[in-house]
Amino acid sequence: MHGSTWHVGAVLPAADVPPLGAHTITIGSDGRIATLAPCDPSGLTAAQAALVAMPALANAHDHGRGLATLACGVADAPLEHWMIDLARQPRVDAYDTAALALARLAGSGVAAVYHCHNTQDSAALLDEAEAVSRAAHDTGVRVAFGWPFFDANPLVYGDHAVLARFFPPDRRAAIATMDQGLRSCATNMALFERAQALEHDTFTLHYHPVAPQWAQPATLAAIAAASAASGRRVHTHLLETRLQREWADAHFPQGFVPWLDAIGLLSPRLTVAHGVWLRPDELALLAARGVTVSVNVSSNLRLRSGLPPLAQIAQAGVAMGLGLDGMGLDDDADMLREIRLAHLLLGQPDRDHGGPVTLPDSQPVLHAAWSGGRAAILGPDDGGGRLAPGAPADLLLIDRRRMGQDWIGDGWPADPAWLLARATRADVAHLLVAGRAVVRDGQVTGVDEATLAARLAAQARAARRATPPDTARIAQMQAATHAFYAAGCHCGQP
Ligand SMILES: [Zn+2]
């Protein structure tokens, strides 16, 4: 790793520090910021003066979707319906998928991502993890890989023998036993041990019980114990949809989140994704246990999940990260737009409270994007999320010329309000990760993004021709699961 020097017109050092003027930033050969010193703005080129340096972004929940779901004919729809449609996705190369997904994230300023792995082939999990590990190395993006533990409720939240009744007789036996062939916790833990050989500077493994409804209670407890023993982090989806809320309330009448606490899962090592249907008392418990909530507002909008209680999360003092979930608003993996959306939603008035208006505050959302999510990915002691000597040289440099083109003040706007109002991936000039220029002049440097995209599309089209999706079976499955939920079977109705 070589050191480098950057001259910029402005610096946003951290969420709780006001903007600074022109600076020279030097990066040491150790991948850390060596110096951050004011410089004479009159000595900067026009391009340098337009740059604003800030901590690189963290995407605290994603799935590494190199091939968009929409591209596969999977239309946005409520999660439970949409997930069945995912069977339309063709098998493609795991490395190309991950490398393209990471390249796109880098292009929107993301230096660190939580990658919840969805297997294409459950039997190939170790190979797929190796491919993601290689993609992390080649792109330079820091990846926390969520090793999936998925051993309950594969088709619906509830009894699959009951679901089978909603199918024609010839399908019932297969449906009723669908939840029995899943990889056991013990087998998966052994595989997880082997996978630790794949770890490197920018690739670490975390436990990922996919969600409480998708893991056996004993599996959740085993992961909680393993995390406490090893210090490894845990990440799980939690209460993303109304149907999940109903399932949880019906199955844990003593309190769902308190039950997660009782089995030891709630800790500062835990991140929960979505939390759309969390209640105030549950948020208070999460705050008390130091849990991070990773919110995904674009995904929630697109999958009709509802919106997370952002103001309540902030008020409860729960640590927050932001995630794209592979489902950005315009399907373009734009983390900057995701930050804008979260910021705007966080600042809307509460219809249950009167009194004076609340002024916009950029701190909570910038903290989530720079620090909160990063801590969920890299742990709390990484020293990043702010620009200061000694901190990891994970820097995002934004070119303000497009977004500030109608600015009537001197120079370029430095207030983060501008960033939050207008920045998109089009404005990303450079991204450094541990000092390495992962994006330079708007181009990803570690992989050839256009070639990867073309290769992946060609593979997907060939796979689609060779093995078209069984659309009749998908429609049958969707109709049966709709009927199951409509009858209240997820709440234990017989
Ligand atoms: Zn997700």
Side-chain angles (χ1 to χ4, degrees):
M1 192 70 65
H2 301 289
S4 59
T5 302
W6 300 83
H7 305 283
V8 298
V11 178
L12 298 174
D16 56 357
V17 179
L20 305 175
H23 272 67
T24 298
I25 306 168
T26 57
I27 311 298
S29 55
D30 60 353
R32 292 180 176 273
I33 296 171
T35 63
L36 182 71
C39 68
D40 179 0
S42 66
L44 301 180
T45 66
Q48 289 168 344
L51 292 175
V52 54
M54 66 193 73
L57 310 179
N59 174 3
H61 183 80
D62 213 291
H63 292 271
R65 299 187 218 280
L67 191 62
T69 49
L70 286 165
C72 305
V74 181
D76 294 353
L79 179 85
E80 289 80 8
H81 182 95
W82 175 86
M83 285 182 59
I84 292 167
D85 241 6
L86 292 178
R88 295 174 188 271
Q89 295 179 118
R91 281 282 297 278
V92 284
D93 183 78
Y95 172 84
D96 288 351
T97 301
L100 183 59
L102 293 176
R104 288 213 174 114
L105 291 178
S108 92
V110 172
V113 59
Y114 196 95
H115 169 104
C116 300
H117 192 71
N118 289 1
T119 51
Q120 296 192 70
D121 172 6
S122 173
L125 175 55
L126 197 57
D127 291 339
E128 293 182 11
E130 188 276 332
V132 180
S133 166
R134 220 165 358 110
H137 177 272
D138 292 352
T139 58
V141 176
R142 301 182 193 269
V143 176
F145 182 96
W147 186 271
F149 287 74
F150 176 67
D151 59 7
N153 297 327
L155 302 177
V156 287
Y157 320 136
D159 189 340
H160 284 54
V162 173
L163 174 65
R165 293 190 215 138
F166 296 94
F167 282 83
D170 64 313
R171 294 274 288 136
R172 286 180 192 162
I175 296 294
T177 54
M178 198 74 91
D179 56 350
Q180 288 165 24
L182 303 170
R183 182 183 288 127
S184 75
C185 181
T187 305
N188 206 19
M189 282 286 187
L191 208 55
F192 181 82
E193 291 285 321
R194 286 174 60 196
Q196 287 171 31
L198 301 172
E199 293 187 317
H200 56 72
D201 281 354
T202 57
F203 184 81
T204 52
L205 299 181
H206 293 194
Y207 298 104
H208 176 46
V210 179
Q213 73 277 2
W214 288 315
Q216 299 288 346
T219 299
L220 295 173
I223 288 169
S227 167
S230 67
R232 253 180 217 283
R233 295 193 60 87
V234 183
H235 186 117
T236 189
H237 293 83
L238 185 68
L239 294 171
E240 181 172 356
T241 68
R242 184 167 49 82
L243 292 176
Q244 291 172 12
R245 175 83 258 181
E246 291 169 358
W247 170 87
D249 288 341
H251 288 77
F252 300 89
Q254 74 279 27
F256 177 53
V257 176
W259 174 74
L260 295 174
D261 190 36
I263 62 170
L265 202 65
L266 306 190
S267 85
R269 297 179 304 280
L270 177 68
T271 304
V272 298
H274 298 291
V276 171
W277 295 84
L278 281 166
R279 297 180 179 130
D281 56 321
E282 295 171 329
L283 287 169
L285 181 53
L286 295 182
R289 295 292 181 265
V291 174
T292 297
V293 176
S294 178
V295 297
N296 306 267
V297 288
S298 289
S299 168
N300 297 153
L301 288 167
R302 289 180 57 185
L303 301 181
R304 279 67 171 176
S305 299
L307 285 170
L310 289 165
Q312 290 176 7
I313 291 170
Q315 278 157 20
V318 182
M320 189 161 70
L322 307 178
L324 279 167
D325 200 18
M327 298 294 285
L329 190 67
D330 291 355
D331 212 29
D332 58 356
D334 195 330
M335 197 65 204
L336 289 157
R337 184 173 281 120
E338 187 70 18
I339 294 168
R340 165 152 51 262
L341 200 52
H343 175 61
L344 291 173
L345 290 168
L346 189 53
Q348 298 306 312
D350 181 343
R351 65 179 69 236
D352 298 327
H353 290 91
V357 294
T358 308
L359 296 179
D361 179 3
S362 63
Q363 278 196 39
V365 82
L366 290 178
H367 186 271
W370 291 342
S371 305
R374 186 179 174 98
I377 297 163
L378 302 170
D381 305 322
D382 141 85
R386 57 177 53 238
L387 302 190
D394 287 15
L395 279 74
L396 171 58
L397 284 81
I398 293 273
D399 184 334
R400 293 174 287 178
R401 286 177 287 194
R402 186 196 68 89
M403 61 174 174
Q405 57 189 309
D406 55 351
W407 171 246
I408 63 170
D410 294 331
W412 301 102
D415 190 305
W418 273 76
L419 180 78
L420 291 171
R422 288 191 176 178
T424 72
R425 60 182 306 130
D427 306 308
V428 171
H430 315 291
L431 175 70
L432 308 187
V433 182
R436 172 179 168 187
V438 162
V439 175
R440 188 183 282 279
D441 298 320
Q443 297 296 314
V444 170
T445 59
V447 294
D448 183 337
E449 191 176 342
T451 300
L452 277 174
R455 203 159 72 196
L456 201 58
Q459 287 168 25
R461 290 186 184 115
R464 170 61 60 91
R465 277 192 299 274
T467 319
D470 189 339
T471 52
R473 183 155 285 203
I474 289 169
Q476 180 189 59
M477 185 76 78
Q478 285 171 330
T481 55
H482 275 264
F484 176 92
Y485 290 122
C489 299
H490 60 302
C491 299
Q493 300 300 319

